Amino acid sequence: MTHQTLFATRLAQARKKTDLSQKQLGIQAGLDEFTASPRMNHYERGKHLPDLDTAKRFADILNVPMAYLYCPEDDLAELLLELNKLTHQQRVALLKKIRKE
């Protein structure tokens, strides 16, 4: 899977979980309302990749870590989603536990 199709798949999955349309997500991310739907469609079909700032806005709106959108391993992507649900303190504690500190 290429970076573009991977990003496209993860973006579409995350967007569908929020019940936002492509146009709604695009507008919330700051895309022009008249081009938001076609641009989002290109991103979700893997025709284009957004710049990192735009990808970060998508991730923030969809409440997923930006790394999730680019993660090639499905299990690691799922872990990123679960880690994102934890508080900062919980993540620090988990990291210490993993490192056996």
Side-chain angles (χ1 to χ4, degrees), residues 27-89:
I27 290 170
Q28 285 186 30
L31 303 180
D32 178 83
E33 69 177 293
F34 298 107
T35 61
S37 185
R39 280 183 64 186
M40 291 303 303
N41 187 272
H42 284 172
Y43 295 146
E44 288 190 9
R45 288 182 34 207
K47 285 187 155 194
H48 300 287
L49 274 173
D51 61 50
L52 289 178
D53 290 335
T54 303
K56 176 69 172 131
R57 288 194 302 272
F58 292 153
D60 290 345
I61 293 163
L62 298 171
N63 195 32
V64 298
M66 192 165 120
Y68 167 80
L69 298 174
Y70 295 95
C71 186
E73 297 93 2
D74 290 338
D75 58 341
L76 186 53
E78 289 298 316
L79 279 169
L80 288 168
L81 290 177
E82 293 304 317
L83 287 170
N84 194 54
K85 295 175 186 176
L86 302 177
T87 66
H88 175 72
Q89 288 179 324

